[in-house]
Amino acid sequence: MNTTPSRTTTPTTTTPPAGTTDPAEGSSDAVTEEATAKDSLATDSAKDSLAKDSAKDSPAKAPAPKDATGTPSDAADSGTAPDDLAGQSADEDDDDALEPDPFDEARHGVGAGAAAVVSAALGVVALTGAWTGRVAAERETLIGQIQTSGGGSAAQQISEIYGDAWHTTALVNGVFAVLALLVGVFVLVRPAFGTPSERPQPTWVRAVALAGVALGVLGVLISAGMYFDLFVSLPTAGAPAGG
């Protein structure tokens, strides 16, 4: 009988030499690395697509250039330049609007000035006489001659031939004087009526209108004295000498 205990044999595990890898382990690492590479590619493509979408939605802003010292150049401040230019143009427009237009200044007071000149001219005509007065006086002289051609006293002839012509001349001159007075007064009182003007009446217009008023008043007084024989009376015929 064998009394020697039996030995249990255990399978020996062979350890691979250093520097070598297990084939199974190498295959699993390769699969992991491949999966990681695929995930990174997918992530990169997703990032690229997001970047493109964001670039389409909002335009990219270029960084402001820097000068030699590393600070942003004056080009960075050019964004405020259009606003400054717009403000300056608006101020210039306001200044142009506030500045009076020379053409408007020239047109202002043209009608009043013309009326003032007409008033002064009518006053001068009232004092010196007009051709209308001479024509009217000659007509009265002719009528007097016709009326006294059949005979009449000396006083009647003086009144019909000379007196009527004198009074007619005074009447015509008085009409011119009244017109000069009315036009001058109208020019002076016009700013007080109607739509008020933003600018006062020019000084020269008022001066000429005052001259026309003064000449008109003087012409009215002289014409009235001539018509009523206040300055010079009509000549009288002497009594005829007895035979």
Side-chain angles (χ1 to χ4, degrees), residues 1-240:
M1 183 175 184
N2 189 5
T3 61
T4 302
S6 62
R7 293 182 298 179
T8 305
T9 60
T10 58
T12 60
T13 303
T14 60
T15 302
T20 61
T21 56
D22 192 3
E25 183 179 359
S27 62
S28 62
D29 293 339
V31 172
T32 303
E33 290 177 358
E34 184 178 358
T36 304
K38 290 181 179 180
D39 293 338
S40 63
L41 290 175
T43 303
D44 293 339
S45 62
K47 289 181 179 179
D48 293 339
S49 62
L50 290 175
K52 291 180 180 180
D53 294 337
S54 63
K56 291 179 180 180
D57 295 337
S58 62
K61 294 183 178 179
K66 297 183 179 180
D67 54 10
T69 58
T71 58
S73 62
D74 294 338
D77 296 334
S78 62
T80 59
D83 296 336
D84 295 338
L85 293 176
Q88 292 177 0
S89 61
D91 295 337
E92 291 177 357
D93 293 338
D94 295 338
D95 294 339
D96 294 339
L98 294 176
E99 185 178 356
D101 189 2
F103 294 101
D104 293 339
E105 290 290 338
R107 288 193 298 267
H108 176 62
V110 171
V117 173
V118 169
S119 174
L122 289 173
V124 172
V125 171
L127 294 178
T128 59
W131 64 271
T132 53
R134 292 196 304 270
V135 171
E138 291 175 357
R139 180 176 182 276
E140 291 296 329
T141 300
L142 180 60
I143 292 174
Q145 291 176 354
I146 294 173
Q147 290 178 354
T148 58
S149 61
S153 62
Q156 185 181 3
Q157 291 180 358
I158 292 173
S159 175
E160 294 292 338
I161 298 174
Y162 177 77
D164 290 347
W166 176 266
H167 295 160
T168 302
T169 303
L171 182 61
V172 173
N173 293 341
V175 171
F176 279 100
V178 171
L179 290 177
L181 179 62
L182 293 178
V183 174
V185 171
F186 172 78
V187 173
L188 293 177
V189 301
R190 174 64 181 84
F193 299 95
T195 305
S197 178
E198 297 179 357
R199 293 179 293 273
Q201 194 176 56
T203 305
W204 70 271
V205 173
R206 295 195 299 270
V208 176
L210 284 173
V213 171
L215 292 174
V217 171
L218 187 60
V220 169
L221 294 177
I222 294 175
S223 298
M226 290 174 60
Y227 188 83
F228 295 104
D229 299 329
L230 299 178
F231 303 129
V232 179
S233 62
L234 292 176
T236 57

